[in-house]
Amino acid sequence: MNTVSRATTAAIPIETPTEVAAATGRARKGPPARPMPGASAERLATAEAIDRAAHATLARATKGLSPSALAIANYDWAVHLAASPGKLGALADSAMHKWLDLGRTALAASLGGADPAPLAGRDPRFRSAAWNAAPWRLLSDAFQMGTAWWQEATTDVRGAQPHHLRLVEFAARQMLDAVSPSNFPATNPDVVEATRAEGGANLLRGFEHALDDARRKASAQPPAGVENFRPGEAVAATPGAVVYRNRLIELIQYTPTTATVHPEPILIVPAWIMKYYILDLSPANSMVRHLVEAGFTVFVISWKNPDGGDRDLGLDDYRRLGPVAALEAIATIAGPAKVHGVGYCLGGTLLAIEAARQARDAAPRFGSMTLLAAQTDFTRAGELSLFIDESQLTVLEDMMWERGYLDTKQMAGAFQMLKARDLLWGRMVDDYLLGKRVEMNDLMAWNADATRMPYRMHAEYLEQLFLQNRLAEGRFEVDGRAVAIEDIHVPIFAVGTETDHVAPWMSVHKITLLAEAETTFVLTTGGHNAGIVSEPGHPRRSFRSAVKAPGAAYVDPEHWGEIATPHLGSWWTAWFEWLAMRSGARVVPPTLGAPERGLPVLAAAPGAYVLAP
């Protein structure tokens, strides 16, 4: 690795273009550039380091977004829209009719007549009855009509790239959400009424909330109430022990609570973007505890929260040091029985890669595979894909390259933007204008316990899976050879959630197209987290399911509901039964760890990695 002076690069590591390509897995397009007269590898490396530092500085100001990507998308949209007289005429006609509808609403209100019926599909921000009265009705209708017009203007523009249109539509929606009348005290009737009824006490409480939030953010403190949900106490409290540790994972084995257990252990691979105890929250909604009580031997990977020293850990390091190392430890402790693999979100993608590698090498270790809100095909990856193109990846790479990891703030900000209406503006109205704090719960506290991602791994993940979709296309390589999902023949249980904004269920459903194994697909109510944490007895939970036999015809997600069977209650119960049907006769539980074989108990659960900031 080449280096230059601190004065030139502010102690930022210098990498040659060849080293960068090797580290990220990104193939540089086109023939190699002809060196400029007098150019040297050191000069080129210095130039690239300066560019990367500039990009990283820009990325901090834009919260990780690429201004170039948005500018190109806007240009593509504007040029093609300007060249579409039919579309422009339709937009003018739509605007005229919306103005006429708004005029009729205003006239009815001024004459004291009955209020017209609310707009069809009314925005939840205006669901309270106060928004139906004048003048609030006029404000809400005008905003909703304007939002609908902009959606018409930024979609179905012939000739423009679909990715660019989606990005422009997303950006327009973000700007409109920021100026919604519900966001301002003088134009929100609920805030006006609360202020009148409380004599302004709600605004005073809101100001105190804002000060508290600002103080906590400045001092890097978690939100108020998180201290009541410490791992190992109120959450992540299922008894167990750390039985294996390497530089990237701690493997937790849970203490059995039944006299006998199924012989096939369960290995849970959570996403490294989250702390593992999303699946071991409070005792009532802990998936781990429910599995143990159902007679399963459960192992869970607890990922280390990486820092700058882990910058060069790649996606294959996560596979080898994660599920592969865990399987070796499980075999030492529990014997050679097949393992039920369970992967959540990115952990499910990694699990599928390892299962495909095992199938390719005829070295099966999994007896079944469960994918929880996990994608193996990224062609329908939802709004997260808006931030995945060459320009955006360059900005993200350079931002991570500077520190060696993707910071928790960037990740939290990206997910917040995807649901800005609820997570940003809705929270602002409740906390700062109405003066109401939502009481902290275990899921909210877990969500605030954020993690980082190493530079190399995240760059490889975005490039090879999100952008190039190599896994679904049979081009993702492990140990120098491609792996394919269709080689996996163990039974698969895949779960999608109806309102998932991270892994849309139609994307998760693609496993039924890629895999040739028996595949049970379940679609449950809830979102990416709340839909998975769906314990028996949870109110208002339901799910649909259908089984695709090997060789059966594929049913696309648009028609999947026609063949799916509806069920009331939690999908956990159906999954536990599915696992039990694919397990052998129950046996005496294995011991915690295997001290005589080099795997002593290292610490009590939840271990050390989950507690590290």
Side-chain angles (χ1 to χ4, degrees):
M1 181 177 294
N2 297 313
T3 58
V4 293
S5 68
R6 288 179 178 267
T8 304
T9 64
I12 297 173
I14 305 299
E15 296 164 314
T16 68
T18 301
E19 289 172 325
V20 172
T24 64
R26 299 188 65 181
R28 302 303 177 187
K29 298 178 176 62
R34 180 183 301 172
M36 293 182 297
S40 66
E42 186 172 352
R43 286 199 188 96
L44 293 174
T46 302
E48 180 157 339
I50 293 171
D51 289 345
R52 281 176 170 261
H55 295 163
T57 301
L58 179 63
R60 286 196 297 271
T62 63
K63 305 299 182 183
L65 296 178
S66 168
S68 300
L70 186 57
I72 293 169
N74 273 291
Y75 180 78
D76 188 16
W77 164 73
V79 168
H80 285 91
L81 181 62
S84 304
K87 176 74 172 181
L88 291 172
L91 289 173
D93 181 70
S94 175
M96 181 184 68
H97 281 85
K98 285 178 170 57
W99 274 111
L100 290 174
D101 289 343
L102 190 62
R104 281 192 289 270
T105 300
L107 181 61
S110 66
L111 296 177
D115 288 335
L119 292 174
R122 192 166 198 185
D123 192 313
R125 285 171 288 194
F126 312 113
R127 62 180 174 268
S128 74
W131 285 101
N132 280 330
W136 320 112
R137 172 63 187 275
L138 197 62
L139 286 171
S140 66
D141 281 9
F143 176 78
Q144 291 175 94
M145 289 177 182
T147 300
W149 186 90
W150 271 105
Q151 185 173 19
E152 295 170 12
T154 55
T155 55
D156 299 323
V157 179
R158 289 178 58 81
Q161 289 191 24
H163 174 75
H164 289 164
L165 289 181
R166 290 195 298 270
L167 185 56
V168 171
E169 190 271 336
F170 177 81
R173 189 169 73 247
Q174 295 293 309
M175 290 186 287
L176 287 167
D177 282 344
V179 297
S180 168
S182 60
N183 295 344
F184 304 95
T187 55
N188 186 325
D190 297 323
V191 176
V192 171
E193 174 57 26
T195 304
R196 184 199 62 78
E198 299 186 44
N202 57 308
L203 297 178
L204 180 59
R205 291 195 305 274
F207 182 67
E208 292 172 347
H209 294 162
L211 288 178
D212 182 59
D213 287 347
R215 177 182 59 80
R216 289 175 177 273
K217 184 175 182 180
S219 57
Q221 290 182 322
V226 167
E227 63 276 5
N228 298 322
F229 298 93
R230 300 183 190 280
E233 299 175 9
V235 295
T238 303
V242 175
V243 295
Y244 172 79
R245 179 186 294 127
N246 61 33
R247 68 168 295 185
L248 196 53
I249 73 165
E250 288 184 329
L251 182 65
I252 300 173
Q253 180 184 0
Y254 289 91
T255 305
T257 60
T258 55
T260 60
V261 296
H262 297 286
E264 296 83 1
I266 290 176
L267 170 62
I268 298 178
V269 184
W272 49 89
I273 198 174
M274 58 176 70
K275 297 289 182 73
Y276 83 89
Y277 66 91
I278 177 67
L279 301 177
D280 187 24
L281 289 171
S282 302
N285 60 358
S286 166
M287 178 184 286
V288 168
R289 186 181 71 84
H290 279 78
L291 283 168
V292 170
E293 291 179 352
F296 292 98
T297 299
V298 180
F299 293 83
V300 172
I301 287 176
S302 174
W303 298 101
K304 176 191 175 186
N305 198 2
D307 54 31
D310 302 309
R311 62 179 295 125
D312 293 324
L313 287 174
L315 192 54
D316 197 60
D317 293 312
Y318 271 74
R319 183 190 65 86
R320 290 185 301 99
L321 298 175
V324 172
L327 286 170
E328 292 175 357
I330 291 171
T332 301
I333 294 169
K338 295 291 180 66
V339 174
H340 293 305
V342 181
Y344 184 15
C345 188
L346 304 185
T349 305
L350 189 65
L351 185 76
I353 291 171
E354 172 54 20
R357 196 280 309 168
Q358 293 176 13
R360 183 200 66 189
D361 296 346
R365 285 289 292 121
F366 293 122
S368 74
M369 185 170 71
T370 297
L371 302 177
L372 308 178
Q375 301 175 92
T376 50
D377 183 297
F378 292 84
T379 54
R380 304 183 72 168
E383 288 190 332
L384 272 177
S385 62
L386 294 175
F387 309 111
I388 310 300
D389 56 29
E390 286 291 344
S391 177
Q392 184 62 59
L393 287 186
T394 297
V395 170
L396 284 174
E397 274 189 18
D398 293 348
M399 183 171 63
M400 293 185 293
W401 166 84
E402 183 183 44
R403 292 184 176 180
Y405 56 84
L406 185 65
D407 189 71
T408 58
K409 295 178 181 178
Q410 275 77 40
M411 287 191 290
F415 289 123
Q416 192 177 62
M417 276 198 302
L418 295 180
K419 297 188 70 176
R421 188 182 70 184
D422 300 323
L423 299 181
L424 179 60
W425 304 114
R427 178 178 174 273
M428 183 199 73
V429 171
D430 287 340
D431 286 6
Y432 304 154
L433 301 186
L434 294 175
K436 299 187 300 185
R437 281 286 205 197
V438 177
E439 185 177 355
M440 183 66 65
N441 59 35
D442 53 4
L443 188 57
M444 293 168 62
W446 165 84
N447 193 55
D449 194 2
T451 56
R452 298 175 289 273
M453 286 198 284
Y455 157 67
R456 180 175 178 180
M457 183 283 303
H458 196 45
E460 290 177 346
Y461 176 79
L462 293 178
E463 173 75 18
Q464 297 189 38
L465 298 179
F466 257 95
L467 187 60
Q468 298 185 10
N469 205 26
R470 288 187 176 188
L471 180 60
E473 296 177 3
R475 298 185 295 113
F476 187 89
E477 294 186 355
V478 177
D479 297 332
R481 296 168 55 207
V483 297
I485 297 297
E486 66 180 16
D487 290 340
I488 300 173
H489 293 292
V490 299
I492 298 172
F493 192 98
V495 182
T497 63
E498 290 182 352
T499 57
D500 198 327
H501 66 290
V502 177
W505 79 264
M506 290 187 175
S507 181
V508 176
H509 179 269
K510 280 293 191 72
I511 189 67
T512 65
L513 174 63
L514 297 176
E516 296 184 0
E518 174 197 284
T519 304
T520 301
F521 185 76
V522 167
L523 179 61
T524 182
T525 52
H528 188 70
N529 298 324
I532 299 301
V533 183
S534 181
E535 71 281 2
H538 194 294
R540 298 180 299 281
R541 285 294 189 228
S542 63
F543 65 96
R544 291 173 281 167
S545 66
V547 179
K548 180 178 178 288
Y554 167 69
V555 179
D556 62 79
E558 287 78 9
H559 296 89
W560 179 82
E562 299 171 6
I563 66 167
T565 303
H567 308 269
L568 293 177
S570 168
W571 62 268
W572 287 14
T573 303
W575 178 46
F576 291 177
E577 293 173 355
W578 185 89
L579 288 170
M581 289 174 60
R582 287 154 182 81
S583 301
R586 295 172 70 135
V587 298
V588 175
T591 60
L592 287 182
E596 69 285 358
R597 293 186 293 276
L599 290 179
V601 169
L602 301 177
Y609 280 0
V610 74
L611 300 176

